[in-house]
Amino acid sequence: IQMTQSPSSLPVSVGDRVTITCRASQGIRTDLSWYQQRPGKVPRLLIYAASTLYRGVPSRFSGTGSGTDFTLTISSLQPEDFGTYYCLQDYNYPYSFGQGTKLEI
Amino acid sequence: QIQLVQSGAEVKKPGASVTVSCKVYGDTFNNYMITWVRQAPGQGLEWTGWISAYNGLTNYGPKVQDRVTLTTDRSTTTAYMALTRLTSDDTAVYYCSIRYCNTTSCFEYWGQGTLISVSS
């Protein structure tokens, strides 16, 4: 299953509302996760099952979607949110990541 | 609390093989499914494979499926990823991770990553 994220990079500012989309090449129900990765750091799970916020993740992060189209929204960007975001389909094997969306100042 | 501790960085020559270990601290190792993900320098995340510690069932990513073997050792609660016929394209940080879910929530843990450099 091919996962296509858009945009690949996004210039943003603190306080912005940010939306990242991920499209699957076939339906994956709600079997989609979102990750954040800061430079040099381990990926961090933000959302699983398309819309379930992982423990400890701030409520400004939210996820929606099902089937083939998914969205990650950050309601008000904070300085610690800069980095690269990835979607992952965990519907069937082999799992696959999107190519990433880099949030840039 | 689960902790994953990976083996250290290695430098290999093209054509060689490498094995990365992932020691899992925490109970119920046999219940876990260990996922491996790699990331080449400046590139995105690539799902590399998965193994069930319960029954050894595996699934591999398309780019490595002919060269990778995932195993686990229940006695030491350690997972291993072996990769053969290395090329420069295999230069990457390799991560192991575990996600498990109960009836209400999922929990996910990652190792610190292991840098494998392939160079002549």
Side-chain angles (χ1 to χ4, degrees), chain A residues 33 35 37 41-43 45 48 54-55 86 90 93-95 97, chain B residues 39 43-45 47 50 59-60 95 99 105-111:
Chain A
S33 300
Y35 289 85
Q37 187 179 34
K41 300 297 186 182
V42 176
L45 178 64
Y48 62 93
Y54 188 55
R55 62 177 179 172
Y86 298 92
D90 44 24
Y93 294 111
Y95 290 175
F97 287 95
Chain B
Q39 185 171 38
Q43 302 301 309
L45 301 173
W47 191 88
W50 163 96
N59 198 289
Y60 299 130
Y95 298 100
R99 184 191 293 190
S105 300
C106 291
F107 304 90
E108 185 163 294
Y109 303 88
W110 287 65

PDB file of all heavy atoms in Angstrom, chain A residues 33 35 37 41-43 45 48 54-55 86 90 93-95 97, chain B residues 39 43-45 47 50 59-60 95 99 105-111:
ATOM      1  N   SER A  33      -1.576   5.560  11.685  1.00  0.00           N
ATOM      2  CA  SER A  33      -0.929   6.235  12.810  1.00  0.00           C
ATOM      3  C   SER A  33      -0.159   7.447  12.307  1.00  0.00           C
ATOM      4  O   SER A  33       0.251   7.492  11.140  1.00  0.00           O
ATOM      5  CB  SER A  33       0.040   5.290  13.514  1.00  0.00           C
ATOM      6  OG  SER A  33      -0.616   4.149  14.005  1.00  0.00           O
ATOM      7  N   TYR A  35       3.185  10.008  13.356  1.00  0.00           N
ATOM      8  CA  TYR A  35       4.398  10.136  14.152  1.00  0.00           C
ATOM      9  C   TYR A  35       5.005  11.514  13.953  1.00  0.00           C
ATOM     10  O   TYR A  35       4.922  12.103  12.874  1.00  0.00           O
ATOM     11  CB  TYR A  35       5.443   9.095  13.739  1.00  0.00           C
ATOM     12  CG  TYR A  35       5.095   7.687  14.128  1.00  0.00           C
ATOM     13  CD1 TYR A  35       4.277   6.904  13.319  1.00  0.00           C
ATOM     14  CD2 TYR A  35       5.578   7.130  15.302  1.00  0.00           C
ATOM     15  CE1 TYR A  35       3.951   5.615  13.675  1.00  0.00           C
ATOM     16  CE2 TYR A  35       5.260   5.834  15.664  1.00  0.00           C
ATOM     17  CZ  TYR A  35       4.450   5.086  14.849  1.00  0.00           C
ATOM     18  OH  TYR A  35       4.128   3.807  15.207  1.00  0.00           O
ATOM     19  N   GLN A  37       8.825  13.346  14.382  1.00  0.00           N
ATOM     20  CA  GLN A  37      10.252  13.097  14.606  1.00  0.00           C
ATOM     21  C   GLN A  37      11.005  14.411  14.585  1.00  0.00           C
ATOM     22  O   GLN A  37      11.009  15.129  13.583  1.00  0.00           O
ATOM     23  CB  GLN A  37      10.829  12.141  13.562  1.00  0.00           C
ATOM     24  CG  GLN A  37      12.253  11.731  13.885  1.00  0.00           C
ATOM     25  CD  GLN A  37      12.845  10.770  12.874  1.00  0.00           C
ATOM     26  OE1 GLN A  37      12.551  10.847  11.691  1.00  0.00           O
ATOM     27  NE2 GLN A  37      13.685   9.853  13.337  1.00  0.00           N
ATOM     28  N   LYS A  41      16.209  12.550  16.796  1.00  0.00           N
ATOM     29  CA  LYS A  41      15.440  11.884  17.849  1.00  0.00           C
ATOM     30  C   LYS A  41      14.686  10.670  17.320  1.00  0.00           C
ATOM     31  O   LYS A  41      14.493  10.502  16.119  1.00  0.00           O
ATOM     32  CB  LYS A  41      14.443  12.874  18.470  1.00  0.00           C
ATOM     33  CG  LYS A  41      15.103  14.094  19.104  1.00  0.00           C
ATOM     34  CD  LYS A  41      15.997  13.709  20.261  1.00  0.00           C
ATOM     35  CE  LYS A  41      16.532  14.952  20.964  1.00  0.00           C
ATOM     36  NZ  LYS A  41      17.443  14.592  22.081  1.00  0.00           N
ATOM     37  N   VAL A  42      14.241   9.868  18.252  1.00  0.00           N
ATOM     38  CA  VAL A  42      13.438   8.699  17.932  1.00  0.00           C
ATOM     39  C   VAL A  42      12.026   9.147  17.554  1.00  0.00           C
ATOM     40  O   VAL A  42      11.500  10.094  18.139  1.00  0.00           O
ATOM     41  CB  VAL A  42      13.390   7.756  19.149  1.00  0.00           C
ATOM     42  CG1 VAL A  42      12.482   6.561  18.881  1.00  0.00           C
ATOM     43  CG2 VAL A  42      14.800   7.285  19.520  1.00  0.00           C
ATOM     44  N   PRO A  43      11.406   8.494  16.568  1.00  0.00           N
ATOM     45  CA  PRO A  43      10.017   8.845  16.246  1.00  0.00           C
ATOM     46  C   PRO A  43       9.114   8.701  17.466  1.00  0.00           C
ATOM     47  O   PRO A  43       9.293   7.817  18.299  1.00  0.00           O
ATOM     48  CB  PRO A  43       9.649   7.832  15.160  1.00  0.00           C
ATOM     49  CG  PRO A  43      10.957   7.477  14.524  1.00  0.00           C
ATOM     50  CD  PRO A  43      11.953   7.479  15.649  1.00  0.00           C
ATOM     51  N   LEU A  45       5.095   8.449  18.658  1.00  0.00           N
ATOM     52  CA  LEU A  45       3.707   8.211  18.255  1.00  0.00           C
ATOM     53  C   LEU A  45       2.819   9.333  18.767  1.00  0.00           C
ATOM     54  O   LEU A  45       2.860   9.684  19.953  1.00  0.00           O
ATOM     55  CB  LEU A  45       3.229   6.870  18.809  1.00  0.00           C
ATOM     56  CG  LEU A  45       1.785   6.475  18.521  1.00  0.00           C
ATOM     57  CD1 LEU A  45       1.562   6.287  17.021  1.00  0.00           C
ATOM     58  CD2 LEU A  45       1.424   5.186  19.273  1.00  0.00           C
ATOM     59  N   TYR A  48      -3.023   7.060  16.900  1.00  0.00           N
ATOM     60  CA  TYR A  48      -3.215   5.757  16.285  1.00  0.00           C
ATOM     61  C   TYR A  48      -4.698   5.557  16.032  1.00  0.00           C
ATOM     62  O   TYR A  48      -5.536   6.318  16.523  1.00  0.00           O
ATOM     63  CB  TYR A  48      -2.623   4.637  17.144  1.00  0.00           C
ATOM     64  CG  TYR A  48      -3.238   4.494  18.521  1.00  0.00           C
ATOM     65  CD1 TYR A  48      -4.300   3.621  18.749  1.00  0.00           C
ATOM     66  CD2 TYR A  48      -2.729   5.213  19.606  1.00  0.00           C
ATOM     67  CE1 TYR A  48      -4.851   3.476  20.011  1.00  0.00           C
ATOM     68  CE2 TYR A  48      -3.276   5.072  20.867  1.00  0.00           C
ATOM     69  CZ  TYR A  48      -4.326   4.207  21.078  1.00  0.00           C
ATOM     70  OH  TYR A  48      -4.878   4.062  22.331  1.00  0.00           O
ATOM     71  N   TYR A  54      -2.474   9.522  21.434  1.00  0.00           N
ATOM     72  CA  TYR A  54      -1.631   8.683  22.288  1.00  0.00           C
ATOM     73  C   TYR A  54      -1.406   9.371  23.624  1.00  0.00           C
ATOM     74  O   TYR A  54      -1.452  10.603  23.720  1.00  0.00           O
ATOM     75  CB  TYR A  54      -0.299   8.401  21.597  1.00  0.00           C
ATOM     76  CG  TYR A  54       0.579   7.400  22.303  1.00  0.00           C
ATOM     77  CD1 TYR A  54       0.104   6.133  22.625  1.00  0.00           C
ATOM     78  CD2 TYR A  54       1.881   7.715  22.663  1.00  0.00           C
ATOM     79  CE1 TYR A  54       0.909   5.212  23.275  1.00  0.00           C
ATOM     80  CE2 TYR A  54       2.698   6.802  23.309  1.00  0.00           C
ATOM     81  CZ  TYR A  54       2.207   5.558  23.624  1.00  0.00           C
ATOM     82  OH  TYR A  54       3.006   4.647  24.269  1.00  0.00           O
ATOM     83  N   ARG A  55      -1.170   8.592  24.661  1.00  0.00           N
ATOM     84  CA  ARG A  55      -1.001   9.129  26.004  1.00  0.00           C
ATOM     85  C   ARG A  55       0.109  10.176  26.041  1.00  0.00           C
ATOM     86  O   ARG A  55       1.163  10.021  25.432  1.00  0.00           O
ATOM     87  CB  ARG A  55      -0.673   8.001  26.985  1.00  0.00           C
ATOM     88  CG  ARG A  55       0.615   7.275  26.703  1.00  0.00           C
ATOM     89  CD  ARG A  55       0.923   6.224  27.749  1.00  0.00           C
ATOM     90  NE  ARG A  55       2.168   5.524  27.446  1.00  0.00           N
ATOM     91  CZ  ARG A  55       2.757   4.671  28.261  1.00  0.00           C
ATOM     92  NH1 ARG A  55       2.217   4.387  29.426  1.00  0.00           N
ATOM     93  NH2 ARG A  55       3.886   4.081  27.922  1.00  0.00           N
ATOM     94  N   TYR A  86       5.129  11.870   9.989  1.00  0.00           N
ATOM     95  CA  TYR A  86       4.934  10.720   9.111  1.00  0.00           C
ATOM     96  C   TYR A  86       3.609  10.035   9.424  1.00  0.00           C
ATOM     97  O   TYR A  86       3.235   9.903  10.597  1.00  0.00           O
ATOM     98  CB  TYR A  86       6.043   9.686   9.301  1.00  0.00           C
ATOM     99  CG  TYR A  86       7.424  10.158   8.968  1.00  0.00           C
ATOM    100  CD1 TYR A  86       8.246  10.716   9.946  1.00  0.00           C
ATOM    101  CD2 TYR A  86       7.936  10.032   7.671  1.00  0.00           C
ATOM    102  CE1 TYR A  86       9.533  11.138   9.647  1.00  0.00           C
ATOM    103  CE2 TYR A  86       9.228  10.453   7.368  1.00  0.00           C
ATOM    104  CZ  TYR A  86      10.010  11.012   8.365  1.00  0.00           C
ATOM    105  OH  TYR A  86      11.286  11.439   8.062  1.00  0.00           O
ATOM    106  N   ASP A  90      -1.103   0.713   9.161  1.00  0.00           N
ATOM    107  CA  ASP A  90      -0.933  -0.574   9.825  1.00  0.00           C
ATOM    108  C   ASP A  90      -2.168  -1.429   9.587  1.00  0.00           C
ATOM    109  O   ASP A  90      -2.658  -2.127  10.480  1.00  0.00           O
ATOM    110  CB  ASP A  90      -0.596  -0.422  11.311  1.00  0.00           C
ATOM    111  CG  ASP A  90      -1.450   0.614  12.017  1.00  0.00           C
ATOM    112  OD1 ASP A  90      -2.577   0.884  11.534  1.00  0.00           O
ATOM    113  OD2 ASP A  90      -1.017   1.146  13.055  1.00  0.00           O
ATOM    114  N   TYR A  93       0.229  -6.086   5.985  1.00  0.00           N
ATOM    115  CA  TYR A  93       1.674  -6.165   5.780  1.00  0.00           C
ATOM    116  C   TYR A  93       2.026  -6.245   4.302  1.00  0.00           C
ATOM    117  O   TYR A  93       1.291  -6.841   3.513  1.00  0.00           O
ATOM    118  CB  TYR A  93       2.229  -7.394   6.502  1.00  0.00           C
ATOM    119  CG  TYR A  93       2.116  -7.302   7.996  1.00  0.00           C
ATOM    120  CD1 TYR A  93       1.236  -8.113   8.701  1.00  0.00           C
ATOM    121  CD2 TYR A  93       2.892  -6.390   8.718  1.00  0.00           C
ATOM    122  CE1 TYR A  93       1.130  -8.025  10.072  1.00  0.00           C
ATOM    123  CE2 TYR A  93       2.799  -6.301  10.091  1.00  0.00           C
ATOM    124  CZ  TYR A  93       1.917  -7.117  10.768  1.00  0.00           C
ATOM    125  OH  TYR A  93       1.807  -7.027  12.127  1.00  0.00           O
ATOM    126  N   PRO A  94       3.154  -5.667   3.921  1.00  0.00           N
ATOM    127  CA  PRO A  94       4.057  -4.880   4.766  1.00  0.00           C
ATOM    128  C   PRO A  94       3.482  -3.498   5.073  1.00  0.00           C
ATOM    129  O   PRO A  94       2.932  -2.839   4.200  1.00  0.00           O
ATOM    130  CB  PRO A  94       5.315  -4.775   3.916  1.00  0.00           C
ATOM    131  CG  PRO A  94       4.813  -4.820   2.503  1.00  0.00           C
ATOM    132  CD  PRO A  94       3.630  -5.747   2.528  1.00  0.00           C
ATOM    133  N   TYR A  95       3.633  -3.077   6.340  1.00  0.00           N
ATOM    134  CA  TYR A  95       3.217  -1.730   6.682  1.00  0.00           C
ATOM    135  C   TYR A  95       4.044  -0.738   5.873  1.00  0.00           C
ATOM    136  O   TYR A  95       5.115  -1.081   5.349  1.00  0.00           O
ATOM    137  CB  TYR A  95       3.449  -1.465   8.167  1.00  0.00           C
ATOM    138  CG  TYR A  95       2.527  -2.237   9.092  1.00  0.00           C
ATOM    139  CD1 TYR A  95       2.704  -2.155  10.471  1.00  0.00           C
ATOM    140  CD2 TYR A  95       1.491  -3.030   8.627  1.00  0.00           C
ATOM    141  CE1 TYR A  95       1.881  -2.829  11.354  1.00  0.00           C
ATOM    142  CE2 TYR A  95       0.652  -3.713   9.487  1.00  0.00           C
ATOM    143  CZ  TYR A  95       0.858  -3.612  10.853  1.00  0.00           C
ATOM    144  OH  TYR A  95       0.045  -4.288  11.719  1.00  0.00           O
ATOM    145  N   PHE A  97       5.142   3.663   5.483  1.00  0.00           N
ATOM    146  CA  PHE A  97       5.110   5.056   5.904  1.00  0.00           C
ATOM    147  C   PHE A  97       4.879   5.984   4.709  1.00  0.00           C
ATOM    148  O   PHE A  97       5.256   5.655   3.569  1.00  0.00           O
ATOM    149  CB  PHE A  97       6.453   5.459   6.532  1.00  0.00           C
ATOM    150  CG  PHE A  97       6.702   4.899   7.889  1.00  0.00           C
ATOM    151  CD1 PHE A  97       7.437   3.726   8.049  1.00  0.00           C
ATOM    152  CD2 PHE A  97       6.240   5.546   9.024  1.00  0.00           C
ATOM    153  CE1 PHE A  97       7.698   3.217   9.305  1.00  0.00           C
ATOM    154  CE2 PHE A  97       6.486   5.052  10.286  1.00  0.00           C
ATOM    155  CZ  PHE A  97       7.220   3.876  10.429  1.00  0.00           C
TER     156      PHE A  97
ATOM    157  N   GLN B  39      16.073   4.237   8.886  1.00  0.00           N
ATOM    158  CA  GLN B  39      16.055   5.599   8.354  1.00  0.00           C
ATOM    159  C   GLN B  39      17.439   5.935   7.817  1.00  0.00           C
ATOM    160  O   GLN B  39      18.384   6.084   8.596  1.00  0.00           O
ATOM    161  CB  GLN B  39      15.633   6.587   9.431  1.00  0.00           C
ATOM    162  CG  GLN B  39      15.468   8.010   8.939  1.00  0.00           C
ATOM    163  CD  GLN B  39      14.840   8.907   9.986  1.00  0.00           C
ATOM    164  OE1 GLN B  39      15.115   8.793  11.173  1.00  0.00           O
ATOM    165  NE2 GLN B  39      13.966   9.808   9.553  1.00  0.00           N
ATOM    166  N   GLN B  43      16.747  10.895   5.156  1.00  0.00           N
ATOM    167  CA  GLN B  43      15.593  10.310   4.475  1.00  0.00           C
ATOM    168  C   GLN B  43      14.475  10.006   5.459  1.00  0.00           C
ATOM    169  O   GLN B  43      14.601  10.212   6.670  1.00  0.00           O
ATOM    170  CB  GLN B  43      16.016   9.037   3.744  1.00  0.00           C
ATOM    171  CG  GLN B  43      17.116   9.255   2.726  1.00  0.00           C
ATOM    172  CD  GLN B  43      16.733  10.256   1.650  1.00  0.00           C
ATOM    173  OE1 GLN B  43      15.678  10.151   1.025  1.00  0.00           O
ATOM    174  NE2 GLN B  43      17.577  11.254   1.438  1.00  0.00           N
ATOM    175  N   GLY B  44      13.383   9.488   4.934  1.00  0.00           N
ATOM    176  CA  GLY B  44      12.231   9.174   5.757  1.00  0.00           C
ATOM    177  C   GLY B  44      12.329   7.816   6.425  1.00  0.00           C
ATOM    178  O   GLY B  44      13.329   7.110   6.309  1.00  0.00           O
ATOM    179  N   LEU B  45      11.264   7.464   7.111  1.00  0.00           N
ATOM    180  CA  LEU B  45      11.197   6.190   7.807  1.00  0.00           C
ATOM    181  C   LEU B  45      10.784   5.088   6.839  1.00  0.00           C
ATOM    182  O   LEU B  45       9.903   5.268   6.006  1.00  0.00           O
ATOM    183  CB  LEU B  45      10.182   6.287   8.948  1.00  0.00           C
ATOM    184  CG  LEU B  45      10.456   7.358  10.000  1.00  0.00           C
ATOM    185  CD1 LEU B  45       9.288   7.445  10.974  1.00  0.00           C
ATOM    186  CD2 LEU B  45      11.748   7.058  10.744  1.00  0.00           C
ATOM    187  N   TRP B  47       9.576   1.081   6.887  1.00  0.00           N
ATOM    188  CA  TRP B  47       9.171  -0.100   7.653  1.00  0.00           C
ATOM    189  C   TRP B  47       9.928  -1.306   7.129  1.00  0.00           C
ATOM    190  O   TRP B  47       9.835  -1.650   5.941  1.00  0.00           O
ATOM    191  CB  TRP B  47       7.670  -0.296   7.513  1.00  0.00           C
ATOM    192  CG  TRP B  47       7.103  -1.310   8.442  1.00  0.00           C
ATOM    193  CD1 TRP B  47       6.653  -1.102   9.704  1.00  0.00           C
ATOM    194  CD2 TRP B  47       6.910  -2.704   8.174  1.00  0.00           C
ATOM    195  NE1 TRP B  47       6.202  -2.288  10.253  1.00  0.00           N
ATOM    196  CE2 TRP B  47       6.344  -3.290   9.327  1.00  0.00           C
ATOM    197  CE3 TRP B  47       7.164  -3.528   7.074  1.00  0.00           C
ATOM    198  CZ2 TRP B  47       6.028  -4.628   9.417  1.00  0.00           C
ATOM    199  CZ3 TRP B  47       6.849  -4.874   7.150  1.00  0.00           C
ATOM    200  CH2 TRP B  47       6.289  -5.414   8.321  1.00  0.00           C
ATOM    201  N   TRP B  50       8.757  -7.218  10.907  1.00  0.00           N
ATOM    202  CA  TRP B  50       8.000  -7.460  12.131  1.00  0.00           C
ATOM    203  C   TRP B  50       8.149  -8.918  12.514  1.00  0.00           C
ATOM    204  O   TRP B  50       8.220  -9.793  11.641  1.00  0.00           O
ATOM    205  CB  TRP B  50       6.550  -7.119  11.826  1.00  0.00           C
ATOM    206  CG  TRP B  50       5.494  -7.617  12.749  1.00  0.00           C
ATOM    207  CD1 TRP B  50       4.925  -6.951  13.772  1.00  0.00           C
ATOM    208  CD2 TRP B  50       4.836  -8.890  12.703  1.00  0.00           C
ATOM    209  NE1 TRP B  50       3.960  -7.730  14.361  1.00  0.00           N
ATOM    210  CE2 TRP B  50       3.887  -8.932  13.732  1.00  0.00           C
ATOM    211  CE3 TRP B  50       4.968 -10.022  11.884  1.00  0.00           C
ATOM    212  CZ2 TRP B  50       3.069 -10.013  13.964  1.00  0.00           C
ATOM    213  CZ3 TRP B  50       4.160 -11.122  12.117  1.00  0.00           C
ATOM    214  CH2 TRP B  50       3.225 -11.099  13.145  1.00  0.00           C
ATOM    215  N   ASN B  59       7.145 -10.859   9.005  1.00  0.00           N
ATOM    216  CA  ASN B  59       6.770 -10.213   7.755  1.00  0.00           C
ATOM    217  C   ASN B  59       7.830  -9.170   7.464  1.00  0.00           C
ATOM    218  O   ASN B  59       8.266  -8.461   8.387  1.00  0.00           O
ATOM    219  CB  ASN B  59       5.394  -9.577   7.847  1.00  0.00           C
ATOM    220  CG  ASN B  59       4.806  -9.293   6.484  1.00  0.00           C
ATOM    221  OD1 ASN B  59       5.253  -8.401   5.779  1.00  0.00           O
ATOM    222  ND2 ASN B  59       3.812 -10.068   6.101  1.00  0.00           N
ATOM    223  N   TYR B  60       8.258  -9.081   6.202  1.00  0.00           N
ATOM    224  CA  TYR B  60       9.378  -8.215   5.861  1.00  0.00           C
ATOM    225  C   TYR B  60       8.990  -7.166   4.834  1.00  0.00           C
ATOM    226  O   TYR B  60       8.113  -7.378   3.995  1.00  0.00           O
ATOM    227  CB  TYR B  60      10.530  -9.063   5.303  1.00  0.00           C
ATOM    228  CG  TYR B  60      11.064 -10.090   6.273  1.00  0.00           C
ATOM    229  CD1 TYR B  60      11.219 -11.420   5.897  1.00  0.00           C
ATOM    230  CD2 TYR B  60      11.402  -9.736   7.577  1.00  0.00           C
ATOM    231  CE1 TYR B  60      11.728 -12.371   6.781  1.00  0.00           C
ATOM    232  CE2 TYR B  60      11.901 -10.671   8.470  1.00  0.00           C
ATOM    233  CZ  TYR B  60      12.056 -11.978   8.068  1.00  0.00           C
ATOM    234  OH  TYR B  60      12.545 -12.899   8.951  1.00  0.00           O
ATOM    235  N   TYR B  95      15.890   1.038  13.997  1.00  0.00           N
ATOM    236  CA  TYR B  95      15.138   1.095  15.246  1.00  0.00           C
ATOM    237  C   TYR B  95      14.321  -0.178  15.445  1.00  0.00           C
ATOM    238  O   TYR B  95      13.757  -0.703  14.483  1.00  0.00           O
ATOM    239  CB  TYR B  95      14.151   2.255  15.249  1.00  0.00           C
ATOM    240  CG  TYR B  95      14.720   3.644  15.140  1.00  0.00           C
ATOM    241  CD1 TYR B  95      14.734   4.317  13.932  1.00  0.00           C
ATOM    242  CD2 TYR B  95      15.205   4.301  16.268  1.00  0.00           C
ATOM    243  CE1 TYR B  95      15.233   5.615  13.834  1.00  0.00           C
ATOM    244  CE2 TYR B  95      15.706   5.603  16.192  1.00  0.00           C
ATOM    245  CZ  TYR B  95      15.711   6.254  14.960  1.00  0.00           C
ATOM    246  OH  TYR B  95      16.203   7.525  14.882  1.00  0.00           O
ATOM    247  N   ARG B  99       4.661  -2.170  19.989  1.00  0.00           N
ATOM    248  CA  ARG B  99       3.355  -1.601  20.306  1.00  0.00           C
ATOM    249  C   ARG B  99       2.455  -2.727  20.779  1.00  0.00           C
ATOM    250  O   ARG B  99       2.363  -3.754  20.134  1.00  0.00           O
ATOM    251  CB  ARG B  99       2.707  -0.926  19.112  1.00  0.00           C
ATOM    252  CG  ARG B  99       1.377  -0.233  19.487  1.00  0.00           C
ATOM    253  CD  ARG B  99       0.583   0.212  18.278  1.00  0.00           C
ATOM    254  NE  ARG B  99       1.241   1.279  17.541  1.00  0.00           N
ATOM    255  CZ  ARG B  99       0.629   1.964  16.547  1.00  0.00           C
ATOM    256  NH1 ARG B  99      -0.613   1.676  16.236  1.00  0.00           N
ATOM    257  NH2 ARG B  99       1.287   2.909  15.902  1.00  0.00           N
ATOM    258  N   SER B 105      -6.477   0.809  25.360  1.00  0.00           N
ATOM    259  CA  SER B 105      -5.405   1.707  24.908  1.00  0.00           C
ATOM    260  C   SER B 105      -4.281   0.922  24.254  1.00  0.00           C
ATOM    261  O   SER B 105      -4.171  -0.289  24.427  1.00  0.00           O
ATOM    262  CB  SER B 105      -4.826   2.486  26.098  1.00  0.00           C
ATOM    263  OG  SER B 105      -5.804   3.262  26.741  1.00  0.00           O
ATOM    264  N   CYS B 106      -3.464   1.651  23.513  1.00  0.00           N
ATOM    265  CA  CYS B 106      -2.233   1.102  22.954  1.00  0.00           C
ATOM    266  C   CYS B 106      -1.041   1.817  23.574  1.00  0.00           C
ATOM    267  O   CYS B 106      -1.141   2.975  23.989  1.00  0.00           O
ATOM    268  CB  CYS B 106      -2.200   1.279  21.441  1.00  0.00           C
ATOM    269  SG  CYS B 106      -3.393   0.260  20.552  1.00  0.00           S
ATOM    270  N   PHE B 107       0.073   1.097  23.641  1.00  0.00           N
ATOM    271  CA  PHE B 107       1.298   1.637  24.200  1.00  0.00           C
ATOM    272  C   PHE B 107       2.435   1.286  23.252  1.00  0.00           C
ATOM    273  O   PHE B 107       2.493   0.183  22.734  1.00  0.00           O
ATOM    274  CB  PHE B 107       1.555   1.044  25.591  1.00  0.00           C
ATOM    275  CG  PHE B 107       0.405   1.259  26.530  1.00  0.00           C
ATOM    276  CD1 PHE B 107      -0.620   0.320  26.609  1.00  0.00           C
ATOM    277  CD2 PHE B 107       0.330   2.397  27.311  1.00  0.00           C
ATOM    278  CE1 PHE B 107      -1.694   0.510  27.453  1.00  0.00           C
ATOM    279  CE2 PHE B 107      -0.740   2.593  28.165  1.00  0.00           C
ATOM    280  CZ  PHE B 107      -1.765   1.651  28.233  1.00  0.00           C
ATOM    281  N   GLU B 108       3.316   2.216  23.068  1.00  0.00           N
ATOM    282  CA  GLU B 108       4.398   2.000  22.114  1.00  0.00           C
ATOM    283  C   GLU B 108       5.728   2.440  22.704  1.00  0.00           C
ATOM    284  O   GLU B 108       5.818   3.474  23.370  1.00  0.00           O
ATOM    285  CB  GLU B 108       4.123   2.756  20.810  1.00  0.00           C
ATOM    286  CG  GLU B 108       5.132   2.491  19.709  1.00  0.00           C
ATOM    287  CD  GLU B 108       4.627   2.910  18.355  1.00  0.00           C
ATOM    288  OE1 GLU B 108       3.668   2.317  17.842  1.00  0.00           O
ATOM    289  OE2 GLU B 108       5.228   3.867  17.794  1.00  0.00           O
ATOM    290  N   TYR B 109       6.759   1.649  22.438  1.00  0.00           N
ATOM    291  CA  TYR B 109       8.104   1.911  22.944  1.00  0.00           C
ATOM    292  C   TYR B 109       9.109   1.698  21.824  1.00  0.00           C
ATOM    293  O   TYR B 109       8.946   0.801  20.996  1.00  0.00           O
ATOM    294  CB  TYR B 109       8.423   0.981  24.114  1.00  0.00           C
ATOM    295  CG  TYR B 109       7.431   1.079  25.240  1.00  0.00           C
ATOM    296  CD1 TYR B 109       6.287   0.278  25.241  1.00  0.00           C
ATOM    297  CD2 TYR B 109       7.611   1.977  26.284  1.00  0.00           C
ATOM    298  CE1 TYR B 109       5.348   0.376  26.263  1.00  0.00           C
ATOM    299  CE2 TYR B 109       6.679   2.074  27.313  1.00  0.00           C
ATOM    300  CZ  TYR B 109       5.556   1.281  27.285  1.00  0.00           C
ATOM    301  OH  TYR B 109       4.639   1.379  28.303  1.00  0.00           O
ATOM    302  N   TRP B 110      10.151   2.529  21.844  1.00  0.00           N
ATOM    303  CA  TRP B 110      11.188   2.446  20.820  1.00  0.00           C
ATOM    304  C   TRP B 110      12.569   2.275  21.453  1.00  0.00           C
ATOM    305  O   TRP B 110      12.835   2.791  22.552  1.00  0.00           O
ATOM    306  CB  TRP B 110      11.203   3.729  19.983  1.00  0.00           C
ATOM    307  CG  TRP B 110      10.041   3.850  19.038  1.00  0.00           C
ATOM    308  CD1 TRP B 110       8.721   3.984  19.367  1.00  0.00           C
ATOM    309  CD2 TRP B 110      10.100   3.843  17.615  1.00  0.00           C
ATOM    310  NE1 TRP B 110       7.952   4.064  18.234  1.00  0.00           N
ATOM    311  CE2 TRP B 110       8.770   3.980  17.137  1.00  0.00           C
ATOM    312  CE3 TRP B 110      11.137   3.733  16.689  1.00  0.00           C
ATOM    313  CZ2 TRP B 110       8.458   4.002  15.774  1.00  0.00           C
ATOM    314  CZ3 TRP B 110      10.826   3.764  15.339  1.00  0.00           C
ATOM    315  CH2 TRP B 110       9.499   3.903  14.892  1.00  0.00           C
ATOM    316  N   GLY B 111      13.442   1.565  20.738  1.00  0.00           N
ATOM    317  CA  GLY B 111      14.844   1.556  21.090  1.00  0.00           C
ATOM    318  C   GLY B 111      15.499   2.874  20.712  1.00  0.00           C
ATOM    319  O   GLY B 111      14.888   3.714  20.039  1.00  0.00           O
TER     320      GLY B 111
END
